[in-house]
Amino acid sequence: MIPANFDYSAPSTLDEALSLLQEHGDEAKILAGGHSLIPMMKLRFASPAHLIDINNIPDLSSIKEEGDSFHLGAMTRESDVEHSEALTGAFPIFADVTKLIADPQVRNMGTIGGNLAHGDAANDHPAVMMALNASVEITGPEGTRTVGIDEFFFGFYMTAVQPNEILTGISIPKQRGKVGSAYHKAERKVGDYATAGVAVQIATDADGKCTYAGIGLTNVNAVPMRAKRSEEALVGSDLSDELIAQAAMMASEDCNPSADLRGDEEYKRHLVKVITKRMIHKAIQRAK
Amino acid sequence: MTKIRCKTSKEIGGMGHSMKRKEDARFIQGKGNYVDDVKLPGMLYMDIVRSPYAYAKIKNINSEEALKVPGVVAVVTGRDLEKYNLHWMPTLMSDTQMVLPTDTVMYQAQEVAAVIATSRYAARDGKEAVMVDYEPMKPVIDAHKSLDADAPILRPDKEGKTDNHIWHWEAGDKEATDKVFNEADVVVKQDMYIPRIHVASIETCGCVANYNKVDNHLTMYMTTQAPHAIRTVIALVAGHVGLTEEKIRVISPDIGGGFGGKVPVYPGYVIAIAVSFLTGAPIKWIEDRTENLQADSFARDYHINVEMAGTKDGKIQATRFKVLADHGYTDASANPSKFPTGLFSIGTGSYDYNNAFMEADAVYTNKPPGGVAYRCSFRVTEAVHAIERITDRFAMEVGKDPAQLRMENFIKKEDFPWKSPTGWEYDSGDYHAGLKLAMDTVGYDDLRKEQLEKRAKGEWMGIGISTFTEIVGAGPSKDFDILGIKMFDSAEIRVHPTGKAIARFGTKSQGQGHETTYAQIVAEELGIPAEHIQVEEGDTDTAPYGLGTYASRSTPTAGAAAAMAARKLREKAKKIAAYLLEVSEEDLEWEPGKFFVKGAPEKVKTIQEIVFASYTNHPPGMEAGFEATHYYDPPNLTFPSGAYICVVDIDPETADIKVRRFVAIDDCGHIINPMIVQGQVHGGLTQGIAPAMYEELIYDEDGNILNGTLMDYLVPTAVESPNWETGHTITPSPHHPIGAKGVGESPTVGAPPAIANAIVDAVSHLGIKHLDIPITPFKLFKKLKEVGAIS
Amino acid sequence: MTMKKITVKLNGAEHSAEVEPRLLLVHLIRENLNATGTHIGCDTSNCGACTILLNGKSVKSCTVLAVQADGKEITTVEGLATAEGLHPLQEGFKENHGLHCGFCTPGMMLRAVELLENNPNPTEEEIRWGISGNLCRCTGYNNIVKAIQYAGAKIRGDELPSTEPEFV
Ligand SMILES: Cc1cc2nc3c(=O)[nH]c(=O)nc-3n(C[C@H](O)[C@H](O)[C@H](O)COP(=O)(O)OP(=O)(O)OC[C@H]3O[C@@H](n4cnc5c(N)ncnc54)[C@H](O)[C@@H]3O)c2cc1C
Ligand code: FES
Ligand code: FES
């Protein structure tokens, strides 16, 4: 349970952190909540030569409502998200997802930025951010750029964040009309990574017609994935039970789960189908 | 529920009082003393290099780089130990096990070399730098293939071994049983696998070995449930290098849960001793959780074929059991020596029939050695699972409600003592009362109605019963020994002049609350307040010899010894009281805490006065002081029982399983401390739901463990664990001095079949007759798919 | 590797130490500062035996670096009782038989401190989810739930629930 040795710095400004990254290049890793990184280092699956701890940089942790979007600082802890009434009020999906991520102690440390930057399809926030159509702010030596969530994940542990960059924030647009969201994952026991998880956000207009559908899937694809066909089927429709069932079926067909101890492909596809259906209904029910 | 009656006042706190635990004060304030808290001057730390392969030749171990790591002092290999003939050790089952290998590794995570360093961190770095060159071989992983003609012989080290068979065992009357089977109306059969699981106590194993060269004396702090037996084993292993038994002191400090996993001797302990012996420095070794799950203390791993024969109206007539036992690389069980399958032969159950036959064969495979008696009197869990599952299968086959079928087949209360078809003499029981209480509590008839209504709506719920008979308290010396040492246990009571006492035992609590319950037994017998009786265990230099705590044996053996030693003292007290009151012994009457003259209660001597007199004014001719020791050799085992009912709800879309209710009625005879007994039951039930629904050690065909961490080995949390509802009936053991039977393992033994039966019951209308544990939603889903019940 | 000088306040007392950056907080507490009430039960951040309060928040000290605690306040089981006596949780665990071997207990109590701070009157369900990062292999959790309910009542100043075992 003991990591290999490394050097450590804890800069107090973003600029300082960026120049340290520049200096140490590939050898360095950002330390955010540390609850994916340190476990890997303890098992010596990762042995970075230098850790740049960004916990002491002020202003990276915040939840702000800015006009028609919410802005989350990268270092916002899961427990901050969980306890933010503004955020969970607007997006009940955040109450759903945080409850299902690990356990309270992990959530006191784990950050929302780290959850995305880790680039693991087993993490829960990627699917949620897809459902919400979030965009990610990335800051590097050249300044800050914004990347849509669909362009963020590249592969196993690979994201749009370059070795000399830091994920600094996440922006979540508020959809118009009646909006509802929900998340659920099947897990072997509480705190486990998902066997399969589904995040859904639905918006409808005054006539009950679907104006927005966002569906993200957890741990049923090599990279976090959006159930595109399902979304397209729903948008513009009146969200009939039948259509919802079809959309759920599409999600289960389009994902690419691999067999592991949590289940085989058939089981996971089945779960995607059932949970997608249930979450769409729940999102609609919650819409306000 | 039977009411618990107390003979003593609350102040005395004898049996039946829910006295708060005396040991808690230190634990809640962070002042427990667990082995990793032991720190000695000059102590070095050990970490262990482990095999990535299940079966491989070791071509070379290169320690050069490791020795360059700052802080690393030494790297020890099997070749090093071989020089002192310390590279092999006996197991408790008289098999043999490598301490460190000289040429071949036999299972993944086996110890290969030890790195000694000045800190934990340096030892870990050194381990990373040890280079081992292996030549992997094709392992034997599937127990069923272990006896195939082309299977490699895994133990050529054992003279004359030409296959991987370890032993064959039988019980019961084959011929008579076969005859009943041939003539029976109904025969049901089921193959089942009781998976390999792990005790996963929250504290792992570890030790600090401190050899003092000057005195030629070893002090061994270690996580052991059986300190005395371990001292003897160490003497057997290391006697030839001068470590004879009087030179060894084993101290078992506070233990963070044992459950049977801390009975065996693991190689790490022996390596630590060897290194301390060679270097003269104290050596600390504390396993990581991953090492603990991957290399130590597996339990179960029984492949069972069970059959039941009976009449078409539901009378059980006979059972047959055939077992294939996977012991991994060596038989490192902790069974009584004459019982290779432990007490599996209790598997005929709580039912009144006369014919049974059981056989078992054990095999070697390339998996870690075992299996330990995980909260179990040696294979009782496996046996109970088999009989309780097959009883449900039988009920289903003859179309009878499983509760009714059990009621009709139970051994009747008046038929005890009852001779079982495999030769046990059940001491006492009232099975009908237990099941009735469980049914009334859970509202059985209403639940059955609800189930039918739900089924009509496509909703699934199930009700599962397990009515088990346990066998604990090993055991009578005519049959029971470990490595030849008889399985008695001991108590020594020493009462100080002011009437306060210290009592020492050969057992070792790992959370069971001995410091409180033993004090209560002594209080019951002597009337000295339990508050003033200090209990000590775990130090071989001070405690009397005993075989330790496991298999729910502490109360039946050491608890009995406490009562017997206290009774010796009461006899002495009576003599002193007679002397002081100037009456004859026959004129005295005892009431907890005092002797008084019959018909003249004002003429009285309290136990405190009597004790004081034993030091200040003892009768002429009598030995002074107030001390007694007793080694209790039980005349029989005790047979606790239980009736458990579990209610589950199943999501027909996802196959998710939720335990809605669980009612556990236990009968462990007289209860010493109801609060502690209930706590034991709660804990054991959670350890019962664990293998029923979550836990199993899984290996791939190359012998790689697939879930050797707590990320994937799914120990239930407070969310998985339901709110347990518990109660009791009380049928005292007629032969036990205080009528107690032992309870620690009942819930772990009894819960899995109740849960499995409930889940199968929920889906039985779909044609499902059996599911192996752990029954996960995934496993259930596959079965539902197979029968076309889920789309 | 460069050593780092850190200063932490453990249960109110300030300590400085020169540490390797990789030193885990749990080892700082147990080995350097000799407060062995905090335990280690796993190597994958699952068991919660190492739970402490870091600036008042419950965290798994096996998954935090000692250097990350620089300048912060740490509370461990040794810091729960005050001159007035046991902490309500300590009392709750003792009175309700909320522990057997005691190995998980310090972590369990520290976690519960924060749980009750955030939610002084939790339901059984909330308690169970609230301690889902702490494994106990001994108690079956029933009495841990009871212990936390008891402590909650005590902190709120409500009437204390019975500590007698309940049987069906
Ligand atoms: C027992 C346990 C159970 C868990 N269960 C779940 C679960 O069910 N669901 C789930 O989603 N997660 C789970 N996690 C993971 C947890 O949520 C992590 O906290 C999260 O994945 C990573 O966030 P972090 O802030 O801890 O990141 P860190 O561990 O600090 O970092 C993770 C990676 O991202 C990089 N990184 C982090 N932040 C930034 C940044 N701002 N800019 C650039 N790079 C950055 C780091 O360099 C590192 O490579 C679990 C963790 C544990 C220990
Ligand atoms: S030691 Fe297990 S979570 Fe920290
Ligand atoms: S009391 Fe032993 S692990 Fe909880």
Side-chain angles (χ1 to χ4, degrees), chain B residues 546-577:
Chain B
L547 279 208
T549 294
Y550 40 88
S552 297
R553 66 186 297 279
S554 296
T555 298
T557 60
M564 299 305 281
R567 284 176 195 176
K568 286 181 189 166
L569 288 175
R570 206 163 75 197
E571 279 310 305
K572 178 164 188 171
K574 194 174 191 181
K575 291 195 169 65
I576 299 173

Side-chain angles (χ1 to χ4, degrees), chain C residues 23-105:
Chain C
L23 182 71
L24 299 173
L25 180 54
V26 69
H27 285 139
L28 175 83
I29 295 169
R30 287 181 51 83
E31 316 260 322
N32 301 44
L33 306 180
N34 290 319
T36 53
T38 302
H39 298 146
I40 298 171
C42 75
D43 43 13
T44 52
S45 316
N46 291 97
C47 77
C50 61
T51 301
I52 55 138
L53 298 181
L54 189 60
N55 279 357
K57 297 240 188 235
S58 55
V59 301
K60 295 179 170 176
S61 62
C62 70
T63 317
V64 176
L65 303 170
V67 287
Q68 288 180 279
D70 187 20
K72 297 201 169 121
E73 289 191 19
I74 300 167
T75 309
T76 64
V77 61
E78 289 91 344
L80 280 181
T82 60
E84 275 93 78
L86 294 178
H87 186 280
L89 277 158
Q90 292 174 309
E91 185 180 314
F93 272 72
K94 176 163 168 54
E95 293 300 315
N96 293 283
H97 192 26
L99 62 147
H100 292 191
C101 77
F103 202 76
C104 71
T105 314

